[in-house]
Amino acid sequence: MILHKIFLIFLLRCTGLLSSDEFRTEFVLMRDGKKLAVDFYRSSTIEKLPAILEMTPYGRNLGFTFRGESEFWYRNGYIFVIADTRGTGDSEGDFEFFSEDGDDGFDLIEWIGKQPWSNGKVAMRGSSYSGTNQWYVAARKPKNLFCINPSATLGRPLDLPPYNNAFSLNWAFGWIAKSANLPNNSMKWINPDPSQWLKHRPLYTLDEFVTGRVLPLYRKFLQHPIIDSYWDLLVLKPDNYSQIDIPSLSFTGWFDGTMYGTIMHFKDISKHSPRKNDHFLIVGPYSHGNAPDGGLDFQTGKPIKHLGDLILEDNAFLPGLNMTKEFYDWCLKDGPRPSWKPAKVYITGTNAWREGSYFLTDNLEDKYLYLKSGNGAASIKGDGELDFDCPQYGSDSFEYNPDEPVKSDLSKNVVLPVDMNFYLNRSDFLVYTSQVVKQAFTIFGEVKLELTFSSSVRDTDFVAFLMDVDENNRSIKLGSKETFQLRTRYRYGFDKEVLMEPNKIYNLTIDMHEMGHTFLPGHRVRLAITSSFYPIISANLNTGNSIAFDMGPAIKCSQTIYHGMPSNGLTSRIHFKSNDLNKDCF
Ligand SMILES: *[C@@H]1O[C@H](CO)[C@@H](O)[C@H](O)[C@H]1NC(C)=O
Ligand SMILES: *[C@@H]1O[C@H](CO)[C@@H](O)[C@H](O)[C@H]1NC(C)=O
Ligand SMILES: *[C@@H]1O[C@H](CO)[C@@H](O)[C@H](O)[C@H]1NC(C)=O
Ligand SMILES: *[C@@H]1O[C@H](CO)[C@@H](O)[C@H](O)[C@H]1NC(C)=O
Ligand SMILES: *[C@@H]1O[C@H](CO)[C@@H](O)[C@H](O)[C@H]1NC(C)=O
Ligand SMILES: *[C@@H]1O[C@H](CO)[C@@H](O)[C@H](O)[C@H]1NC(C)=O
């Protein structure tokens, strides 16, 4: 694809369709004296055009623009400007994970506004990192910024990389040492096999063990294990959203690890922006990578029909790029306003779109499915159940050995809706399954797992999966993350660490973020709970020591989940929202 683009530019140049001065690199001065590298294409005519800015940490030269789209925008009368974020690629300064992007974006937009080829109107484009940073730029209110297109964005700090602070090792190395164009990143690692990482202590120096280099950003994340001032700088407050008086269009998917953040920004901007009704959100059955293109492969334009173990219907796909053009034509060229409703959300199972305002959560009721068991819920062979009625007192236990954690099968992308049966016969998984569904029902909105538990150690992890068991008994994983987990020291929030007294009973809530899914007749609801999923998350050594500097040794522990304790009001249950779930459903 990239070569194809280079060839195309070459061809256009040779045929005289594009004069040689149209592709330009410049170094743009920021307010603190650092220079950022930008590339852009400009028309050889004297016509002044609107511009689209992307700020990327992935290397502006790779394919020239967001997904090699520069030519598409060029043909449609836009100038695509792409910048290496500070400290990446050819840009000066240190990479600071978003905290400098707001000011840098503001300065870049000022610069674009002063160029002879600019008509003074600028939009932003990008997804993931280059989606997220648009919110920080927009909150600074550059006068030439007319709209943003922030897809697949991070939200709350601690979403990534230390997601809920059970540190996301696989992500941390994959991103810092490979994807991002940072100093010291490298495709060749000295110890690429995650099973060898397990014995390395402490976590803080694992970067050198794995890649052979010090990765300053990896270490910085580990130095900030709670939401402190480092992370708080990245939290947009209601006052920040209220500054954003321009439209936005965001795409995400139910299987996008950054779905939570994308929906969070949409909810907040729809609440606090002076232009509440000019924000659009699309949530399809998409992954992180294909959400911005409405589920289409951005290289071939074809629908990606197989997503994990799901096969999608034709109606799941949207022309994402064309919709973005329609949106820009409206806010940058005074074209007609898109006729879409603010929120457009695809419900899997029934495979139908819902459209409306805000996040469509009107008329939903709180519902609960309680965990219970007879002889015990350990493994798929146990008799764990999910039921509407709060059960009699009972409990289920399992052992967790940090030296032998559950190993995630890295040959499958487990952020996608994959069959989890491979794992469920392990005795360190508790498995709870409902009766067969008789009447279809839909869960929509936030899902939370409330657990009453005890552990024989002072700190440990709980990891949970929600699944739809189909007619063939495949346990298809639901939700936007590889796992939903909580390190127990954060059970009272991510701004403090509170250890436990061994064997004392506590409760915690695991946030499973939003879901939108219909359980069809013949299917069953299934929940699985364990304490590790390595190396998607680092194995908790159970010592309660500092996560970064713990030297071990790891402590084996025994975990107990309790059900039905009406005396103190605590029990274990899944809390979700639905408007069509009732006792006749099972
Ligand atoms: C790169 O790695 C070397 C060797 O581990 C380390 O000394 C240096 O600080 C790192 N530099 C940057 C900019 O990451
Ligand atoms: C939010 O607004 C305050 C006050 O203008 C500003 O200092 C802060 O940097 C903004 N936060 C973000 C994350 O942009
Ligand atoms: C996008 O629009 C172009 C021009 O109207 C059209 O040819 C193309 O088929 C559209 N793409 C999709 C995926 O609908
Ligand atoms: C669980 O099932 C997998 C795949 O079918 C098999 O390889 C593994 O040995 C089983 N483990 C147990 C504990 O039964
Ligand atoms: C699925 O599992 C249920 C309950 O364990 C069993 O009764 C049924 O025969 C299984 N169906 C298939 C297709 O394997
Ligand atoms: C624990 O349970 C109490 C009583 O139901 C509830 O108020 C509290 O929010 C729960 N705490 C957590 C962390 O889930």
Side-chain angles (χ1 to χ4, degrees), residues 14-65:
C14 292
T15 52
L17 288 173
L18 195 72
S19 66
S20 57
D21 67 343
E22 287 176 318
F23 174 70
R24 296 277 292 271
T25 297
E26 297 219 10
F27 291 87
V28 180
L29 191 63
M30 300 291 103
R31 64 188 71 179
D32 67 346
K34 296 283 190 280
K35 287 184 178 154
L36 302 198
V38 304
D39 285 352
F40 58 97
Y41 292 89
R42 48 170 294 196
S43 155
S44 59
T45 68
I46 51 162
E47 192 189 358
K48 290 170 181 283
L49 296 173
I52 299 167
L53 171 68
E54 180 185 0
M55 299 169 67
T56 183
Y58 301 115
R60 77 191 195 291
N61 290 313
L62 305 171
F64 297 126
T65 61

Side-chain angles (χ1 to χ4, degrees), residues 471-473 524:
E471 294 89 343
N472 300 316
N473 285 343
R524 290 174 293 163

Side-chain angles (χ1 to χ4, degrees), residues 135 150-156 159 241 248 250-271 279-284 343-346 358-361 444-446 480 512-516:
W135 288 112
S151 291
T153 57
L154 296 175
R156 185 185 59 175
D159 263 358
Y241 288 107
S248 69
S250 308
F251 287 82
T252 180
W254 294 124
F255 314 110
D256 167 11
T258 58
M259 177 212 77
Y260 170 83
T262 317
I263 294 177
M264 184 203 87
H265 287 303
F266 174 77
K267 286 179 175 172
D268 284 337
I269 194 75
S270 301
K271 199 186 287 173
H279 301 281
F280 302 100
L281 173 74
I282 286 134
V283 187
K344 184 173 168 85
V345 173
Y346 191 86
Y358 196 49
F359 192 60
L360 309 172
T361 38
F444 186 71
E446 290 169 9
S480 58
M512 301 182 104
H513 303 330
E514 286 86 355
M515 297 186 195

Side-chain angles (χ1 to χ4, degrees), residues 28-266:
V28 180
L29 191 63
M30 300 291 103
R31 64 188 71 179
D32 67 346
K34 296 283 190 280
K35 287 184 178 154
L36 302 198
V38 304
D39 285 352
F40 58 97
Y41 292 89
R42 48 170 294 196
S43 155
S44 59
T45 68
I46 51 162
E47 192 189 358
K48 290 170 181 283
L49 296 173
I52 299 167
L53 171 68
E54 180 185 0
M55 299 169 67
T56 183
Y58 301 115
R60 77 191 195 291
N61 290 313
L62 305 171
F64 297 126
T65 61
F66 183 64
R67 304 180 159 197
E69 285 170 6
S70 55
E71 199 234 322
F72 173 85
W73 296 111
Y74 178 79
R75 271 192 277 117
N76 285 290
Y78 293 94
I79 298 177
F80 206 110
V81 181
I82 187 156
D84 281 334
T85 50
R86 177 179 289 255
T88 75
D90 296 325
S91 288
E92 297 175 352
D94 295 323
F95 181 70
E96 291 293 356
F97 206 65
F98 298 118
S99 61
E100 302 287 335
D101 291 352
D103 286 348
D104 287 348
F106 183 98
D107 292 354
L108 285 169
I109 290 167
E110 289 272 287
W111 174 82
I112 292 172
K114 289 184 195 135
Q115 299 309 300
W117 40 262
S118 161
N119 74 354
K121 294 189 176 183
V122 183
M124 291 189 77
R125 173 133 173 95
S127 75
S128 195
Y129 189 98
S130 56
T132 309
N133 60 14
Q134 297 176 35
W135 288 112
Y136 298 119
V137 178
R140 280 161 180 70
K141 239 183 154 168
K143 65 178 186 308
N144 297 97
L145 184 62
F146 280 69
C147 56
I148 55 174
N149 172 217
S151 291
T153 57
L154 296 175
R156 185 185 59 175
L158 298 197
D159 263 358
L160 270 178
Y163 168 56
N164 285 0
N165 243 336
F167 202 81
S168 308
L169 272 190
N170 202 50
W171 180 85
F173 288 122
W175 200 82
I176 300 168
K178 283 189 173 168
S179 309
N181 198 10
L182 299 177
N184 275 357
N185 82 351
S186 123
M187 294 296 166
K188 278 215 179 108
W189 294 354
I190 55 174
N191 281 306
D193 176 7
S195 59
Q196 292 182 343
W197 310 349
L198 204 49
K199 290 175 220 103
H200 180 88
R201 308 273 153 76
L203 209 51
Y204 194 71
T205 57
L206 187 60
D207 54 351
E208 278 185 287
F209 180 79
V210 175
T211 71
R213 309 279 177 84
V214 169
L215 303 173
L217 188 62
Y218 169 83
R219 295 187 173 196
K220 196 169 270 179
F221 289 151
L222 280 168
Q223 281 161 0
H224 298 279
I226 60 169
I227 294 191
D228 54 10
S229 57
Y230 173 77
W231 293 113
D232 196 53
L233 272 180
L234 302 181
V235 179
L236 288 165
K237 312 268 165 38
D239 278 356
N240 297 108
Y241 288 107
S242 68
Q243 294 297 309
I244 303 176
D245 58 358
I246 53 171
S248 69
L249 166 63
S250 308
F251 287 82
T252 180
W254 294 124
F255 314 110
D256 167 11
T258 58
M259 177 212 77
Y260 170 83
T262 317
I263 294 177
M264 184 203 87
H265 287 303
F266 174 77

Side-chain angles (χ1 to χ4, degrees), residues 282-286 315-316 318 344-347 351-355:
I282 286 134
V283 187
Y286 310 144
N315 73 349
L318 295 173
K344 184 173 168 85
V345 173
Y346 191 86
I347 304 296
N351 298 333
W353 289 96
R354 286 186 183 182
E355 290 179 276

Side-chain angles (χ1 to χ4, degrees), residues 383-563:
D383 63 0
E385 263 192 74
L386 293 172
D387 193 7
F388 287 116
D389 297 318
C390 186
Q392 298 295 308
Y393 174 81
S395 67
D396 293 302
S397 297
F398 64 99
E399 305 279 307
Y400 161 51
N401 179 357
D403 289 324
E404 284 174 31
V406 179
K407 295 215 173 91
S408 34
D409 172 5
L410 294 175
S411 71
K412 277 194 173 181
N413 182 357
V414 282
V415 77
L416 299 181
V418 293
D419 180 5
M420 296 296 289
N421 281 347
F422 172 77
Y423 301 100
L424 302 181
N425 58 355
R426 293 179 58 117
S427 57
D428 53 2
F429 267 82
L430 300 181
V431 181
Y432 300 88
T433 310
S434 75
Q435 297 295 310
V436 172
V437 173
K438 290 199 215 111
Q439 194 183 305
F441 68 92
T442 299
I443 59 170
F444 186 71
E446 290 169 9
V447 180
K448 294 186 192 302
L449 177 62
E450 301 171 6
L451 291 183
T452 301
F453 71 99
S454 64
S455 174
S456 58
V457 289
R458 281 150 41 89
D459 181 55
T460 190
D461 288 355
F462 286 99
V463 177
F465 304 89
L466 188 66
M467 292 152 279
D468 178 336
V469 185
D470 67 15
E471 294 89 343
N472 300 316
N473 285 343
R474 297 186 310 169
S475 305
I476 303 294
K477 193 170 81 69
L478 300 174
S480 58
K481 291 280 188 187
E482 285 117 328
T483 63
F484 292 103
Q485 75 250 17
L486 188 70
R487 193 150 280 198
T488 57
R489 67 177 74 181
Y490 301 111
R491 65 196 180 282
Y492 301 124
F494 297 107
D495 54 347
K496 53 188 163 299
E497 301 190 340
V498 187
L499 300 181
M500 301 179 290
E501 265 175 53
N503 303 316
K504 191 174 160 188
I505 296 178
Y506 295 95
N507 65 329
L508 59 74
T509 300
I510 297 182
D511 187 352
M512 301 182 104
H513 303 330
E514 286 86 355
M515 297 186 195
H517 180 73
T518 303
F519 288 91
L520 297 173
H523 290 223
R524 290 174 293 163
V525 187
R526 176 167 285 163
L527 174 79
I529 299 169
T530 188
S531 280
S532 56
F533 208 64
Y534 183 87
I536 300 290
I537 50 185
S538 62
N540 191 331
L541 302 186
N542 288 341
T543 59
N545 296 338
S546 131
I547 295 168
F549 301 105
D550 196 359
M551 296 303 289
I555 309 173
K556 275 190 218 174
C557 72
S558 165
Q559 324 282 42
T560 305
I561 302 290
Y562 299 89
H563 11 97

